Amino acid sequence: MGRWMKHTVATFRKAKEEGKKISMLTAYDYSTAGLLDAAGINGILVGDSLGNVMLGYEDTISVTMEDMIHHGAAVARGAKNALVVIDMPFMSYQASVYDAVVNAGRLMKEGRAGAVKLEGGKEVVPQIQAIVQAGIPVMAHLGLTPQSIHAFGGYKVQGKDEEAARKLIENAKEVEAAGAFAVVLECVPAPLAELVTGQVSIPTIGIGAGAGCDGQILVYQDMLGLFSDFTPKFARRYAELGVAMQEAFKSYIEDVEQGRFPAREHSYGMSDEVIGKLY
Ligand code: KIV
């Protein structure tokens, strides 16, 4: 897909048709969104992973609609070309179709999303249908769905046995039929993700799902070395910014302690005459 163009669900659809790979990363703030956008990313996900990497929770369960709107709106202000997808947080859509439509609407109106993402397959089909019917594009999310971490009993690869694999394929077809424009496949064996990709006409966006998906997404802290609570096996490190930041912080502390910062060029002056009168 082109580097300097406004990306929408239509460009995601076209990419799949033309066999072009889709690039996505997460972002949670204005400055990072601007950097991703300028680099030419196709889509930015304001993931509820912000609970882990921005707010320090051990899972995504406590993330609220207000958190998503606050961070989503900041990202939307920074992203001029990328499609901004905002996650629907835990319990903003599971309890009822009504909740799902109202909360998806808030992410569009207040968060300025271009699309919303929610987790689950068959069980959330009525929600996907209703949100899509309201004119809001939906990205689905299958495989390891972190909002169900307590039901899974931990962060584990999904779809490894025949029954689970068949269920995943079925769910991918269900969310497609419900109107989702794309589906994230998280922590799914690569051969299964490739099979699913060939069986649905909407783009699959993989994270820990191998190279056979139509696109890829990573949490940006994982690829830049900015989050050390845990490092998923699937995340390639493109930079060690955590180390670079720590070194810069240490240099600053030393400079302050030794009186080397601020220097003259970082300070504001005034006339000797005025300051002289004050002594
Ligand atoms: O919340 C998130 O960042 C996500 C991605 C891992 C796909 O859902």
Side-chain angles (χ1 to χ4, degrees):
M1 279 195 279
R3 193 159 275 251
W4 308 114
M5 59 184 280
K6 178 79 192 150
H7 297 298
T8 67
V9 295
T11 45
F12 272 51
R13 208 174 294 128
K14 192 157 173 265
K16 170 116 185 176
E17 281 163 18
E18 294 177 355
K20 292 187 180 146
K21 296 281 189 185
I22 300 164
S23 60
M24 290 191 74
L25 283 166
T26 64
Y28 316 96
D29 68 89
Y30 173 81
S31 318
T32 311
L35 290 170
L36 289 178
D37 207 58
I41 200 88
N42 298 139
I44 298 178
L45 172 68
V46 187
D48 61 355
S49 51
L50 70 83
N52 306 103
V53 295
M54 302 299 287
L55 303 177
Y57 298 137
E58 64 182 31
D59 53 41
T60 58
I61 301 300
S62 303
V63 176
T64 65
M65 277 295 295
E66 274 59 42
D67 292 331
M68 297 313 301
I69 289 167
H70 181 74
H71 288 269
V75 167
R77 286 191 289 273
K80 308 288 176 248
N81 298 307
L83 173 67
V84 175
V85 182
I86 304 184
D87 254 344
M88 300 197 69
F90 182 59
M91 278 302 138
S92 67
Y93 60 94
Q94 287 92 339
S96 73
V97 168
Y98 176 83
D99 281 351
V101 176
V102 168
N103 285 320
R106 287 193 68 200
L107 295 179
M108 301 296 283
K109 282 177 80 122
E110 299 170 55
R112 302 298 303 173
V116 300
K117 177 167 83 58
L118 53 77
E119 297 181 4
K122 214 178 225 157
E123 69 283 7
V124 291
V125 158
Q127 282 89 333
I128 295 174
Q129 283 171 333
I131 297 170
V132 170
Q133 206 147 40
I136 300 171
V138 175
M139 180 176 273
H141 185 158
L142 297 172
L144 175 59
T145 45
Q147 291 175 16
S148 305
I149 200 64
H150 296 288
F152 289 138
Y155 293 94
K156 298 173 192 152
V157 177
Q158 301 296 308
K160 282 178 96 168
D161 61 48
E162 185 184 336
E163 192 190 339
R166 283 192 189 283
K167 198 169 154 202
L168 192 115
I169 296 168
E170 207 45 51
N171 276 327
K173 290 179 180 169
E174 293 264 1
V175 297
E176 176 184 18
F181 77 93
V183 56
V184 168
L185 300 178
E186 179 167 354
C187 285
V188 170
L192 176 60
E194 193 172 342
L195 183 65
V196 171
T197 300
Q199 297 209 357
V200 292
S201 61
I202 55 174
T204 57
I205 309 293
I207 174 162
C213 296
D214 297 304
Q216 297 293 326
I217 182 162
L218 285 175
V219 170
Y220 87 86
Q221 281 86 349
D222 289 339
M223 51 98 70
L224 296 182
L226 286 169
F227 184 71
S228 50
D229 288 7
F230 65 87
T231 308
K233 167 187 157 74
F234 55 73
R236 179 182 286 171
R237 282 282 174 92
Y238 284 83
E240 292 295 345
L241 295 196
V243 174
M245 282 173 76
Q246 236 170 29
E247 274 164 13
F249 296 150
K250 280 188 197 151
S251 299
Y252 168 78
I253 292 165
E254 262 176 47
D255 281 356
V256 169
E257 286 175 355
Q258 301 300 319
R260 290 191 297 255
F261 178 82
R264 183 177 279 275
E265 67 267 28
H266 308 118
S267 308
Y268 301 102
M270 65 188 287
S271 84
D272 289 347
E273 193 192 336
V274 175
I275 191 70
K277 285 183 185 162
L278 302 175
Y279 276 93

